[in-house]
Amino acid sequence: MDNELALIELVKKGDKKAYNALVLKYQDRLVYSVYKFLKDFELAQDIAQEAFIKAYKNIEKFRGDSQFYTWIYRIAINTAKNVVSTKARKSEIYDNDTTDQLLSESATTSENPENILQAEQLRSEINKALQNLPEDIRVTLSLREFDGLSYEEIAKVLECPIGTVRSRIHKGREMLDQTFSKYDMSNFEVRKL
Amino acid sequence: MNETLEQRLSMLLDGETTPFETKRLVDEIHCNPHIKALWLRMNKQRAALKGELIDPTLDISASVMSHLNSTPQISHLNSKPWQFSHFFPTHYLKACCYLLGFFLVLSSPLLNLKNFSPSDSFSKLSNPSKTFNRNIPLPGNEALLVDLGSNFNGNLKNYRMVSENAIEANYQLPDNEAVKIKVFFNDVPQSERLNLLESGITLHTKSGNEPIVLNVSSDQISNSKLIKISNTFFTK
């Protein structure tokens, strides 16, 4: 199981550098989750940002019973719901079902398919690169990334030393990073912030 | 440790680093732009693998951190979560004490309560009134003890008043090891000092604004683990 309690403990002691590392770790995932909910990329970024700020201010309430991501995801989705409700109230069309209506409307109308395609291109390149990795490295990395196994669990499954797991995962990431770096980011006409 | 910095970053990504190593890597990410870029790329690579990459150039960390740096320091971040005052604001606590005292005085003839003095036997959590002490409100004590335990994932098993100003509490760790914490609400009596020196780690800290002394001991866990546990009680 992914365990970032050490990072959280540093944050609880007031270490903002540790929080920055956490933001860098989860920002893509959080923005993506909120975006799936709202289908508005800029709003998703604003809400993710607000969620990170709220989470920091309330970090002492995080007890480690769940993953940090689960916790901050809940904060972000609640923030998103509030934003949508406020919008509904402001437009004076609020009734019991308005929030759901707005969510489902935004989910079907406001995304530009071109941007989805561009981000998908990179995702597809990375997945191709993953398939081309040597089998032992690919299997080890997949057990980590897709099955969420710890190094110890992977070592048990593959019956190999934990050091081997560690180095295979690192090597796999290095090889994927070559693809990632080679891939010309300027090809993307990504939405600018 | 023969791992390269990149390999250690990879371990950090998977939550497989020790607290010490985590701290070192966090500092590296902060100080070295090359390492920060690598950390960012590693996370984007993971997001891409999982189909969660929406914009390869996305980075909201700067705006989040600038917002956090521009707001005044949040005072509670520098104190421990179990601090007494968070759960029981003083005015609320005082009112509760008065009400509780008033209720007990009125109800003692009915309930045949003859003795309010601290009991020597360990109390069960289900029946905390056995250790009632007029000077230290028990519900507050129990919340404090439970929160002390939450710092190191310790489940409060039982506790007892060992003197008018001290509680001894036993906790169970997730791997069934036991830890004992003595909480002294004033300073440690001279007679107790030598015993404490031999039996564990003693810390001087605070509960709300009140100084308390904690003695952490266990006959089941290593000294290094004991030190780790006691480190969780330090306030900045």
Side-chain angles (χ1 to χ4, degrees):
Chain A
M1 195 179 85
D2 199 5
N3 175 1
E4 63 274 293
L5 283 180
L7 270 177
I8 305 284
E9 282 309 313
L10 288 174
V11 178
K12 283 184 176 176
K13 287 173 187 165
D15 189 339
K16 285 184 179 165
K17 293 176 286 180
Y19 197 64
N20 193 28
L22 268 178
V23 175
L24 290 168
K25 184 172 182 178
Y26 288 116
Q27 57 180 356
D28 286 294
R29 195 174 172 192
L30 193 63
V31 170
Y32 177 77
S33 299
V34 180
Y35 169 76
K36 270 203 307 186
F37 191 66
L38 295 174
K39 293 289 175 189
D40 182 330
F41 184 62
E42 279 180 20
L43 191 56
Q45 285 180 84
D46 290 344
I47 285 169
Q49 186 178 323
E50 199 176 328
F52 276 119
I53 292 164
K54 279 182 184 169
Y56 180 81
K57 290 179 177 171
N58 290 287
I59 195 74
E60 86 284 359
K61 290 180 187 160
F62 178 71
R63 298 281 174 121
D65 303 330
S66 62
Q67 295 271 303
F68 176 74
Y69 180 75
T70 312
W71 185 64
I72 199 168
Y73 172 79
R74 231 177 281 140
I75 295 174
I77 292 303
N78 284 331
T79 309
K81 281 182 179 173
N82 284 339
V83 168
V84 174
S85 300
T86 310
K87 264 188 179 178
R89 274 197 297 274
K90 275 184 185 166
S91 60
E92 296 180 342
I93 53 167
Y94 185 77
D95 61 45
N96 286 340
D97 298 324
T98 304
T99 305
D100 291 338
Q101 278 172 15
L102 281 177
L103 284 173
S104 73
E105 277 167 20
S106 65
T108 53
T109 57
S110 63
E111 180 43 35
N112 178 354
E114 198 182 331
N115 292 317
I116 292 178
L117 191 69
Q118 286 162 348
E120 237 165 45
Q121 242 176 305
L122 183 55
R123 295 202 293 262
S124 142
E125 286 294 323
I126 284 288
N127 276 300
K128 259 189 232 166
L130 177 73
Q131 297 312 316
N132 291 331
L133 291 177
E135 192 182 345
D136 55 346
I137 293 178
R138 178 169 48 81
V139 170
T140 312
L141 190 58
S142 298
L143 284 172
R144 172 62 222 157
E145 293 294 12
F146 302 117
D147 297 303
L149 299 192
S150 69
Y151 287 7
E152 199 182 344
E153 288 165 334
I154 296 170
K156 277 183 192 159
V157 169
L158 300 180
E159 294 178 339
C160 65
I162 200 164
T164 308
V165 172
R166 208 177 288 147
S167 65
R168 279 183 192 167
I169 287 176
H170 169 56
K171 199 162 186 184
R173 284 188 177 136
E174 251 184 355
M175 292 166 92
L176 292 184
D177 189 49
Q178 283 169 14
T179 312
F180 207 85
S181 311
K182 267 187 220 161
Y183 205 78
D184 186 2
M185 295 287 185
S186 61
N187 282 341
F188 288 105
E189 286 300 321
V190 288
R191 203 183 328 235
K192 295 295 172 200
L193 306 182
Chain B
M1 295 279 267
N2 294 324
E3 291 100 1
T4 60
L5 187 62
E6 286 81 1
Q7 190 165 347
R8 284 186 279 132
L9 271 186
S10 171
M11 289 164 65
L12 179 68
L13 187 68
D14 295 328
E16 297 273 352
T17 46
T18 62
F20 179 71
E21 194 62 39
T22 302
K23 173 89 178 92
R24 277 180 59 187
L25 287 167
V26 160
D27 290 342
E28 288 279 358
I29 291 168
H30 182 71
C31 301
N32 187 333
H34 168 70
I35 300 300
K36 186 182 174 183
L38 187 58
W39 175 244
L40 185 64
R41 220 162 55 234
M42 272 185 174
N43 282 292
K44 292 217 175 280
Q45 186 195 98
R46 167 175 275 182
L49 270 176
K50 294 187 172 180
E52 295 169 341
L53 186 69
I54 196 168
D55 179 350
T57 62
L58 171 80
D59 186 2
I60 58 171
S61 65
S63 51
V64 170
M65 296 320 290
S66 108
H67 188 281
L68 292 179
N69 289 328
S70 66
T71 49
Q73 182 67 29
I74 305 149
S75 59
H76 61 245
L77 281 177
N78 281 336
S79 57
K80 298 303 285 182
W82 52 265
Q83 282 204 344
F84 208 50
S85 55
H86 290 164
F87 296 92
F88 299 97
T90 316
H91 60 280
Y92 176 70
L93 189 62
K94 276 181 184 170
C96 285
C97 290
Y98 285 130
L99 282 173
L100 190 63
F102 186 62
F103 169 77
L104 282 165
V105 167
L106 287 180
S107 61
S108 56
L110 295 172
L111 300 174
N112 198 23
L113 296 177
K114 290 174 182 170
N115 187 5
F116 286 168
S117 66
S119 163
D120 284 339
S121 61
F122 271 82
S123 63
K124 299 290 178 201
L125 292 180
S126 57
N127 189 12
S129 61
K130 280 182 180 173
T131 54
F132 180 78
N133 182 290
R134 273 177 291 186
N135 297 323
I136 308 167
L138 192 66
N141 284 339
E142 193 169 310
L144 171 70
L145 294 173
V146 169
D147 276 355
L148 270 176
S150 70
N151 278 14
F152 56 94
N153 289 331
N155 266 335
L156 179 62
K157 302 308 290 180
N158 50 43
Y159 59 90
R160 64 172 177 166
M161 305 295 300
V162 286
S163 73
E164 279 194 1
N165 292 310
I167 296 178
E168 185 179 292
N170 287 312
Y171 297 86
Q172 192 173 29
L173 298 183
D175 39 9
N176 282 333
E177 292 163 330
V179 171
K180 179 182 290 182
I181 297 183
K182 281 186 184 174
V183 186
F184 295 89
F185 289 91
N186 291 324
D187 204 1
V188 182
Q190 191 62 37
S191 55
E192 189 78 22
R193 281 175 193 271
L194 274 178
N195 289 338
L196 291 186
L197 274 178
E198 287 171 5
S199 70
I201 298 168
T202 303
L203 308 159
H204 292 255
T205 179
K206 281 186 171 180
S207 168
N209 290 324
E210 297 300 318
I212 57 169
V213 181
L214 300 178
N215 177 262
V216 190
S217 65
S218 172
D219 49 10
Q220 292 178 8
I221 64 176
S222 66
N223 279 340
S224 60
K225 195 165 178 182
L226 206 57
I227 289 167
K228 269 185 198 169
I229 289 174
S230 56
N231 281 347
T232 63
F233 303 124
F234 276 122
T235 52
K236 273 196 132 186

